[in-house]
Amino acid sequence: MFDLVIKNARNLDEEIIEIGVSDGKICQIAPKITQKGKREIELLPHQYVSAGWIDDHVHCFEEMTLYYDYPDQIGINKGVTTVIDAGTTGAENISVFYEHAKNAKTNVYALLNISKWGIVEQDELADLTKVQAGLVKKKIQELPDFIVGIKARMSKTVVGKNGIIPLQLAKRIQKENQPLPLMVHIGSAPPRLAEILALLEEGDIMTHCFNGKPNGILDTDTQQIKPLAFQAKKRGIIFDTGHGTDSFDFHVAETAYREGIKADSISTDIYIRNRKNGPVYDLATTMEKMHTIGYSWKEIIEKVTIVPAKNFHLNGKGKIKEGYDADFTIFERVFEPKTLVDSNGNKKITEEQIRPVQVIIGGQQYECKL
Ligand SMILES: [Zn+2]
């Protein structure tokens, strides 16, 4: 007998599958499962199932004052089974975050900020004495199942007069702690985007890829995507949306789409204020924005499941596959118009919404609260 059997589950290929779960893992996937479950969930005909959604850029350490939130508020409540906190904390405070995160129902991982106190203030990389490779290494060794990468925020307000130096330090730290991916936030210059991309390598993640700032991927004179973005894509640099309060522009994302550049992963950069007041609200709303640009639901789901799981080496996550973790998001497609707003106040109307209704994490079921 399985712990749980999910019945009448529709995937985005419009196939009906049944899933048997035991000990928090997926044990069987078949059109029909005859073995009983201690619990059985029967999905409604219009409900879909996917692997649990992963939001790879959030801020959810509640003890911070600048960017903070609570993992379950942005996780299970919003249809997200796994969140990756993107550098809210550094080597000095990540252990406290870890103690909180362990109590969440949502799976929580973290990128370690190279600045030792994380984002306690807006300019965490203006003082380079806060970047201590030894401390970083020690924490990574101490919390190997929690820290899945490192983070450096490379924009003017963060780095002060230090220009590109913090990124050079981040790359050195990354090399000493392989194979951890590096996520780099881009924004206003200095440093210039060209200098940043020159240092990034295959597997590194550029977040806020569709920001509407002059130092972004769109050339504001020609209204075309800068050649450096195509070169970066070709070299295997990962483009992550990281929507945020300030960092997602419909026009940039649409121009990129038209010219053949897509986001690899879709994430929110959510925290309490842009969750409550917008323009982010939740991962589903960011997914709807990508859908209005032209991305299919199937690729959108891949960009919040398989892709982030691969980029951050989350083994056993991101797919509905035997042996994988029993993390699922159950959602509905709702054919009702909704106004979507980007970070610069531009609006688009979607005719179709995606609405998570429940999540299953390690076989445990939770209702979403949108
Ligand atoms: Zn962020």
Side-chain angles (χ1 to χ4, degrees), residues 4-23:
L4 171 71
V5 176
I6 305 171
K7 295 195 161 286
N8 196 32
R10 183 183 296 270
N11 63 25
L12 280 173
D13 290 323
E14 302 294 340
E15 298 159 343
I16 303 292
I17 51 169
E18 297 193 345
I19 306 165
V21 169
S22 276
D23 298 321

Side-chain angles (χ1 to χ4, degrees), residues 31 34 45 48 53 75 100 103 121 187 191 205 236 242 284 289 294 340 343 360 363:
T34 46
Y48 290 83
W53 296 353
H100 283 289
N103 300 323
E121 62 247 314
I205 296 122
K289 290 173 188 177
L340 302 167
S343 298
I360 294 165

Side-chain angles (χ1 to χ4, degrees), residues 57-340:
H57 185 162
V58 308
H59 295 279
C60 62
F61 175 37
E62 63 187 74
E63 287 188 20
M64 294 302 238
T65 49
L66 214 49
Y67 300 110
Y68 72 96
D69 211 325
Y70 305 86
D72 291 337
Q73 300 275 332
I74 57 178
I76 54 171
N77 282 6
K78 306 292 194 181
V80 175
T81 57
T82 298
V83 294
I84 301 179
D85 180 279
T88 312
T89 55
E92 296 281 12
N93 50 0
I94 196 164
S95 296
V96 186
F97 175 34
Y98 175 63
E99 290 306 315
H100 283 289
K102 274 196 299 197
N103 300 323
K105 299 179 181 88
T106 310
N107 300 304
V108 183
Y109 296 97
L111 306 182
L112 183 69
N113 198 309
I114 59 164
S115 183
K116 65 180 182 176
W117 294 104
I119 315 174
V120 281
E121 62 247 314
Q122 198 56 262
D123 60 346
E124 78 265 15
L125 291 172
D127 172 4
L128 291 179
T129 65
K130 291 184 190 161
V131 184
Q132 293 182 18
L135 282 182
V136 170
K137 195 180 185 81
K138 193 166 153 268
K139 275 298 152 188
I140 290 168
Q141 285 168 350
E142 217 176 288
L143 299 171
D145 298 326
F146 185 55
I147 299 172
V148 295
I150 54 177
K151 175 88 187 276
R153 298 201 305 149
M154 295 302 296
S155 53
K156 189 168 88 180
T157 46
V158 180
V159 301
K161 292 192 170 67
N162 290 322
I164 200 71
I165 299 168
L167 186 56
Q168 293 166 335
L169 297 175
K171 286 303 290 184
R172 204 177 303 155
I173 288 171
Q174 180 192 25
K175 297 246 151 62
E176 289 166 5
N177 295 282
Q178 278 172 5
L180 283 189
L182 167 67
M183 179 187 272
V184 175
H185 138 136
I186 60 165
S188 296
R192 286 178 300 113
L193 184 57
E195 293 175 274
I196 295 171
L197 289 175
L199 288 179
L200 298 189
E201 296 166 282
E202 186 179 352
D204 290 340
I205 296 122
M206 174 179 77
T207 193
H208 307 316
C209 66
F210 298 141
N211 77 64
K213 296 163 188 170
N215 194 39
I217 64 167
L218 183 77
D219 185 323
T220 41
D221 294 330
T222 63
Q223 290 298 310
Q224 288 180 324
I225 299 300
K226 296 173 184 170
L228 53 73
F230 292 93
Q231 289 151 12
K233 264 275 178 188
K234 219 168 163 184
R235 290 196 292 118
I237 292 161
I238 292 152
F239 284 44
D240 178 63
T241 53
H243 187 308
T245 308
D246 269 336
S247 303
F248 181 78
D249 188 279
F250 277 132
H251 178 61
V252 177
E254 273 175 328
T255 308
Y257 185 83
R258 224 175 28 240
E259 292 193 28
I261 286 196
K262 289 186 191 177
D264 296 290
S265 50
I266 297 173
S267 66
T268 57
D269 191 15
I270 197 168
Y271 75 112
I272 194 161
R273 284 203 288 276
N274 66 27
R275 166 167 66 85
K276 289 190 170 173
N277 308 329
V280 174
Y281 300 109
D282 52 33
L283 182 61
T285 303
T286 301
M287 292 159 73
E288 288 163 353
K289 290 173 188 177
M290 304 316 283
H291 189 247
T292 63
I293 285 162
Y295 294 64
S296 72
W297 285 122
K298 207 173 158 186
E299 65 185 328
I300 289 169
I301 293 291
E302 284 173 6
K303 291 170 193 297
V304 298
T305 54
I306 304 168
V307 176
K310 177 170 171 277
N311 292 344
F312 293 97
H313 313 127
L314 307 180
N315 297 326
K317 298 209 181 291
K319 287 183 194 175
I320 299 181
K321 190 176 169 186
E322 285 168 23
Y324 272 54
D325 294 346
D327 293 355
F328 308 98
T329 299
I330 293 156
F331 60 94
E332 297 172 357
R333 293 165 66 185
V334 180
F335 295 87
E336 283 169 21
K338 172 177 167 185
T339 303
L340 302 167

